């Protein structure tokens, strides 16, 4: 993971990536909330079914009052019982479907908000933390022994390992050959720039 974090771009570019990642995550969270809201709107249909069932149940109850009428009372009583049963069934179905729609809206919202972001965060965040720790450690060393020639040579070697080849050739025409003091200084400065540090860190801690 540490070797991968070294392949991250310089600090200014990293800040741009951080901003894009924040926009990405927030954007998907907003989309997830919108989808959850729209799906949850289907619960209105369940409410309509429930109200229709309640109306049917009330009508069946009213019809049941006619069951005592001679000749037709028995038939009306049977019909009213069926209407009441149908109304109760519609009410139960409306309540169950409303609960299911609510659960579905929540699950869809969470899935849409998190699934596109989790893989990106799982890869990028550890790399970003590794870079931050690397910057702290190098910054502390720079504050303590920043002018030490051996430390500068160490930074130059790190630059040879981490900087893109095109940038290396721009700094040092033949990076595979033995480096002189000026070349080591240029490479050390480039390595500090990659980490967002400056020579000021040798006097005041972290810079950049």
């Amino acid at each position: 993971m540490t070797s991968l974090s070294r392949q991250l771009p310089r600090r200014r570019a990293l800040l741009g990536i951080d901003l894009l990642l924040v926009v990405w995550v927030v954007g998907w969270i907003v989309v997830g909330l919108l989808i959850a809201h729209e799906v949850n709107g289907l619960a209105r249909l369940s409410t309509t079914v429930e109200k229709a069932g309640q109306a049917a149940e009330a009508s069946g109850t009213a019809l049941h009052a006619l069951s005592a009428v001679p000749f037709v009372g028995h038939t009306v009583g049977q019909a009213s019982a069926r209407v009441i049963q149908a109304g109760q069934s519609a009410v139960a179905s409306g309540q169950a479907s409303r609960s299911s729609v609510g659960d579905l809206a929540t699950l869809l919202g969470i899935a849409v908000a998190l699934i596109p972001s989790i893989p990106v965060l799982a890869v990028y965040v550890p790399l970003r933390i590794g870079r931050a720790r690397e910057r702290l450690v190098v910054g502390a060393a720079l504050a303590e022994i920043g002018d030490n020639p051996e430390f500068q040579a160490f930074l130059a070697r790190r630059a040879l390992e981490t900087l893109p080849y095109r940038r290396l050739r721009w700094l040092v025409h033949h990076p595979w050959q033995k480096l002189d003091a000026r070349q080591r200084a240029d490479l050390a400065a480039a390595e500090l720039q990659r980490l967002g540090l400056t020579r000021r860190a040798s006097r005041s801690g972290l810079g950049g």
Side-chain angles (χ1 to χ4, degrees):
M1 188 66 70
T2 301
S3 60
L4 288 176
S5 67
R6 293 178 185 174
Q7 305 305 316
L8 292 175
R10 288 180 291 176
R11 188 163 181 259
R12 182 173 297 179
L14 271 181
L15 294 177
I17 295 175
D18 292 344
L19 179 60
L20 288 176
L21 187 60
V22 169
V23 172
W24 171 271
V25 172
V26 172
W28 280 111
I29 290 175
V30 171
V31 172
L33 291 174
L34 290 175
I35 289 177
H37 176 73
E38 292 299 321
V39 173
N40 200 48
L42 297 175
R44 291 193 295 268
L45 297 176
S46 301
T47 302
T48 301
V49 171
E50 185 178 355
K51 289 181 177 179
Q54 291 171 346
E57 188 176 356
S59 298
T61 301
L63 285 174
H64 185 70
L66 301 177
S67 60
V69 176
F71 303 110
V72 297
H74 178 69
T75 303
V76 172
Q78 290 180 334
S80 66
R82 288 194 294 269
V83 172
I84 292 173
Q85 184 178 4
Q88 292 173 342
S89 178
V91 170
S93 297
Q95 292 173 344
S97 61
R98 184 169 60 250
S99 176
S100 298
V101 167
D103 293 340
L104 178 62
T106 301
L107 290 175
L108 277 178
I110 293 174
V112 171
L114 296 183
I115 288 178
S117 300
I118 286 178
V120 178
L121 293 175
V123 173
Y124 182 74
V125 170
L127 294 177
R128 195 65 172 89
I129 292 174
R131 168 60 69 82
R133 289 175 176 173
E134 182 182 28
R135 182 172 182 267
L136 287 173
V137 171
V138 175
L142 185 63
E144 182 179 356
I145 55 171
D147 296 327
N148 186 295
E150 293 182 355
F151 181 64
Q152 294 299 312
F154 165 75
L155 291 176
R157 289 194 300 271
R158 295 264 300 185
L160 290 173
E161 296 174 359
T162 58
L163 295 179
Y165 182 70
R166 178 179 297 179
R167 181 165 170 75
L168 278 177
R169 291 297 303 273
W170 184 78
L171 291 169
V172 181
H173 189 62
H174 299 297
W176 51 86
Q177 295 181 351
K178 185 176 181 179
L179 304 175
D180 58 31
R182 178 58 183 272
Q183 291 172 329
R184 286 195 297 271
D186 290 342
L187 288 173
E191 174 65 7
L192 293 176
Q193 186 182 28
R194 181 183 72 87
L195 295 173
L197 297 168
T198 68
R199 292 282 186 176
R200 291 193 302 275
S202 63
R203 297 185 298 273
S204 59
L206 295 182

